[in-house]
Structures are given as structure tokens and as C-alpha cells.
Amino acid sequence: MKASVVGTLLEKIERFFMTWRFPSFMLFTLLFFWILMMGMAFMPASETAWGTFAEDFKVWCFGYDPATGTMEIMYLVMFTVNPLMLSLVIWFVWLDPLRELFSNFKRVTPYAVSSLLLVFSVAFSFVMMAEPGEETEFEFRPETLRISQSPPSFTLINHREEEVSLEKYRGKVVILTSIYTSCADTCPMLMNHAKKVMENLSPDEREETVFMAITMDPERDSPEILSRMAGLYDLESCCNTYEMLTGEPDRVNRVLDEIGIRRRIDEESGSISHMNLFLLIDKTGKIAFRFSLGDRQINWMTEAAKKLVREPYQREVTSIYE
């Protein structure tokens, strides 16, 4: 009796995978998944649970910048191409069984409905992890977010009218961002976020950490103006070392381009729409983490900075006998 039941079950499983049923289910699942991804990508921000989830999803999956409303095009392309390629593979492998659908397309309805319910259930479970207006606390996983990229080598002028290079702080942890002094939108938030991170560090950790901010408006942000900005945010109280950087416009803009700060200048108003980006550079001079704005980002940046400070570093020494 048991053997017959098992045999019947195995026959049903085999029929599901060998006929048009499995590829139909997968094709509809990929279709609804793609529709969900595009819906999340272009859903407007709101205080609802769906709106909160969509904005977090866009930040982490599509490189979305809430300040400019821009996304990384390549991420969108990946989320479009991958389901398409998998769908083509399914059509190629199960072509003959799928031909049966054209004779009686109504048979696929239960599988289409099942796929829709599956995708919606998964999305709904993630959304319900957070109440509307509250931010879900996710664990910081440095091993997942850690990168290793070489920043551009640069020498700029600081707020004390001194030449400063990134290489000067090899062996220290560098928190690097970009601002401009006439910004009334997110630049104050960037400065306050950096200040909060520095205040979260212990005195010994601050000693090993440098805050750098490169202006996006080198034509107007002179060392004197940047110095006043540093005083306005009282960087002396939280930073053992900080550098507000400017220089020749061509040189500054080249550095900003090379570190990936996307921006757009309104010629009429002079305002600059820009990315809100923090780069954490480790003691070896490699970009280790990228962060944006938000309370969660402050917490994660603090943890990342503490982790980088704890990492050992041995400065390379060239022997005079070589």
C-alpha cells in the first residue's frame, strides 16, 4: 500500500517536471518577479510599509540616491536581463512540452495564479517585517558589504591653505565625503552624520580616524569659507584630524569623478544635485565600505570605522640597502 502511494507521488512529481507544468510555473514566477522589481524601482516614497520597504530596497538593490532620485542603470539592467536569460533557458529546455500550451492555454491558469501568490507572499512577508514609519534594524554584516577598491591619488588644498594628499594618511582610517558650503539640502545632513559617527568613536579610535570632505563647488568654496564651515559644525570637538578640501576646479572635479560622486549643476540657481556618499578607506589606502544617509547608515558606519581601526597595519619600509 505504502509502495503504491510513494509510486503515485513519484509519478506526479515526474509529470510536473517533465511536462509543461514546471516550466509554466517558473516562467510566470519570473514574470511576476520582474513586475515586482520594476514596481519597487519606480514606486514613489511614502510613509507606508510598502513605501518604506521600496525605498530601502532601491537603495540596496538599485543604488538609489534619495536626494537626487537617481539609480544605477546597470543594476536595473541586471534585474531585467537575468530573468530574461533564465526564461530563454527554460524555453529552450522545455520547448516541446510548452508547445502544448498553445492548444489549450486555459490549463496554465492554476500555475499562473500559484506563481502570483508565491511572489506576492514573499514580498508581503518582507514588508511586514517593519511597521509603517519604523525602520527595521538589520544586522551589519561587514563580510558582505566589504569591498576593496583603489581610490584616486590626489593632492588638494585644505581649509588651512595647506597641500594635503590621501597618501599622507596611510595607516589611518579615512571617512571621505563631498559637500559644498552653500548647500541647504543634504550637505548639512552629511556633515551631521559624519560628526555623529566621530562622536560614537572612543578617544583612541578618533585618534586613528580622519574626516575628509571635498567641495563640489571649488569655484566658490575657498579655504577660508571651508574653514568657517568647519567651525560652524564644531569639528574640533569630535575630530582629532579633519580636512576640508578644495583646489583648482579641474583637479577637484576630476577627483570627484574618479571616486564616483555623481552631480549635476543647475546653471541658473547654482545649486548642485548630487549623490550622498561616504567612503570608508582602510589603513592600507583601499576603499572598504560605501554608505549613504540614514540612522541605520550612521550605526553601520560607526561599526565599520571601529572594525577598520582595529585592523592591524604595518607600514611598508623600503630598505636603504635595496
Side-chain angles (χ1 to χ4, degrees):
M1 182 68 177
K2 291 183 178 180
S4 62
V5 172
V6 172
T8 302
L9 178 62
L10 290 176
E11 287 179 6
K12 290 182 177 180
I13 294 175
E14 182 180 5
R15 186 167 65 251
F16 176 75
F17 283 99
M18 297 304 294
T19 63
W20 52 267
R21 293 169 177 80
F22 173 72
S24 299
F25 176 78
M26 288 302 300
L27 287 173
F28 277 108
T29 300
L30 290 169
L31 173 62
F32 294 134
F33 171 79
W34 180 84
I35 292 173
L36 176 66
M37 293 300 101
M38 294 303 101
M40 290 294 179
F42 298 103
M43 179 180 293
S46 69
E47 296 299 324
T48 65
W50 281 102
T52 301
F53 174 74
E55 182 159 1
D56 282 345
F57 187 89
K58 287 189 287 186
V59 169
W60 292 107
C61 296
F62 296 126
Y64 174 70
D65 183 1
T68 61
T70 59
M71 290 180 282
E72 294 284 354
I73 299 300
M74 285 304 300
Y75 293 168
L76 280 173
V77 172
M78 287 171 56
F79 272 91
T80 301
V81 171
N82 288 342
L84 175 61
M85 295 299 296
L86 187 53
S87 298
L88 291 175
V89 170
I90 292 172
W91 273 103
F92 178 78
V93 174
W94 281 275
L95 179 59
D96 289 337
L98 284 171
R99 285 175 177 167
E100 298 181 28
L101 294 179
F102 295 103
S103 61
N104 188 358
F105 197 73
K106 292 182 179 180
R107 290 183 296 175
V108 82
T109 301
Y111 300 94
V113 173
S114 299
S115 300
L116 178 60
L117 291 175
L118 173 65
V119 173
F120 178 80
S121 298
V122 172
F124 185 78
S125 64
F126 279 108
V127 172
M128 289 300 102
M129 289 173 62
E131 293 294 328
E134 294 183 359
E135 190 170 335
T136 305
E137 186 62 36
F138 292 102
E139 181 183 357
F140 175 58
R141 299 181 181 275
E143 67 280 0
T144 302
L145 298 177
R146 183 79 181 254
I147 59 177
S148 182
Q149 298 176 349
S150 297
S153 177
F154 62 80
T155 299
L156 298 173
I157 305 299
N158 69 8
H159 57 287
R160 295 181 295 272
E161 300 189 23
E162 303 166 338
E163 286 194 345
V164 173
S165 66
L166 188 59
E167 180 66 27
K168 173 183 177 180
Y169 292 108
R170 186 68 60 86
K172 301 276 190 180
V173 175
V174 177
I175 299 176
L176 177 64
T177 191
S178 59
I179 48 84
Y180 68 102
T181 58
S182 60
C183 174
D185 189 7
T186 56
C187 293
M189 296 172 62
L190 288 165
M191 294 294 291
N192 284 321
H193 274 50
K195 186 175 180 180
K196 287 180 181 178
V197 171
M198 296 299 291
E199 289 173 344
N200 289 339
L201 303 180
S202 69
D204 289 341
E205 290 167 338
R206 292 181 200 173
E207 185 67 33
E208 298 298 317
T209 307
V210 179
F211 172 58
M212 282 188 178
I214 303 175
T215 180
M216 288 177 279
D217 190 8
E219 290 86 353
R220 289 183 287 187
D221 285 344
S222 65
E224 180 183 359
I225 293 176
L226 290 173
S227 181
R228 289 203 296 267
M229 186 179 193
L232 177 66
Y233 289 94
D234 193 21
L235 295 183
E236 290 281 356
S237 67
C238 64
C239 303
N240 291 59
T241 307
Y242 63 91
E243 305 285 5
M244 307 290 287
L245 301 173
T246 187
E248 292 294 328
D250 289 345
R251 178 180 296 182
V252 172
N253 287 321
R254 183 171 64 251
V255 172
L256 293 173
D257 290 340
E258 289 177 349
I259 63 177
I261 302 295
R262 299 196 308 275
R263 59 210 183 279
R264 183 175 64 254
I265 300 176
D266 187 322
E267 299 296 340
E268 294 184 4
S269 66
S271 63
I272 304 174
S273 300
H274 59 87
M275 288 185 68
N276 299 310
L277 179 65
F278 289 99
L279 300 178
L280 264 64
I281 300 174
D282 65 21
K283 295 178 182 180
T284 68
K286 297 288 188 180
I287 299 172
F289 298 100
R290 296 161 59 97
F291 296 104
S292 185
L293 293 174
D295 291 340
R296 183 188 304 152
Q297 302 284 307
I298 292 175
N299 295 335
W300 286 12
M301 262 175 61
T302 300
E303 291 186 52
K306 288 177 175 290
K307 171 181 172 56
L308 296 180
V309 166
R310 291 193 300 267
E311 291 181 351
Y313 172 71
Q314 184 174 0
R315 187 178 293 274
E316 296 180 4
V317 178
T318 303
S319 172
I320 61 174
Y321 300 105
E322 291 182 357

